[in-house]
Amino acid sequence: MSENQQNSSQKGRQDNFQFHVSPDLDYVYRDVFNVYVGAGDVVIEFGNLHRAMPGHATINNRIVMSVASAYNLHQTLQQALQAAQMQLQKNLQAKKQ
C-alpha cells in the first residue's frame, strides 16, 4: 500500500490519509478468529491452532473497532476478495488459451 493511497474504507468521506508503515512491521500468520459484536463496538480476535493439541487454539491479537468501521472493513474486504477472484479467473482462462 503506498503512503499516499487514500483509505478505501473512507471513500464516502473527503478526508485523505497518508499511511506510514514502520520498516520493522511484523507480518504474522493467523488461522483462527472470533468475532464479538456489542452495542457500540466489534471485537475481532485472531489466533493460531495448536499443532500438538488438536482442537485447541491460542488468541494472539484482539482488535476493537466501531460498528461503522467494521461495516467498512467488511465491504472493503469483500471487494478486494472479489477483485482477486476475478484476476485469478482471468489468469486461468489465459493459461487455457
Side-chain angles (χ1 to χ4, degrees):
M1 187 178 298
S2 74
E3 290 182 4
N4 294 323
Q5 185 176 8
Q6 181 178 358
N7 183 344
S8 61
S9 68
Q10 301 292 326
K11 284 182 183 176
R13 297 178 53 183
Q14 296 301 316
D15 299 337
N16 288 321
F17 296 95
Q18 288 187 350
F19 290 90
H20 302 277
V21 180
S22 170
D24 349 335
L25 180 68
D26 289 333
Y27 284 80
V28 294
Y29 177 81
R30 302 292 184 237
D31 50 13
V32 296
F33 66 91
N34 290 318
V35 177
Y36 302 98
V37 180
D41 57 10
V42 175
V43 178
I44 306 171
E45 297 176 330
F46 294 97
N48 293 97
L49 296 171
H50 282 275
R51 304 297 184 241
M53 297 186 316
H56 291 83
T58 297
I59 298 299
N60 303 98
N61 307 96
R62 184 174 287 135
I63 299 171
V64 181
M65 63 181 64
S66 69
V67 173
S69 290
Y71 274 115
N72 287 335
L73 173 63
H74 174 265
Q75 183 179 27
T76 303
L77 182 58
Q78 186 174 23
Q79 291 169 354
L81 289 171
Q82 287 173 347
Q85 183 178 14
M86 288 174 52
Q87 187 62 45
L88 179 62
Q89 288 173 347
K90 284 181 186 178
N91 291 347
L92 289 174
Q93 288 175 355
K95 286 182 181 181
K96 289 181 181 179
Q97 296 176 350

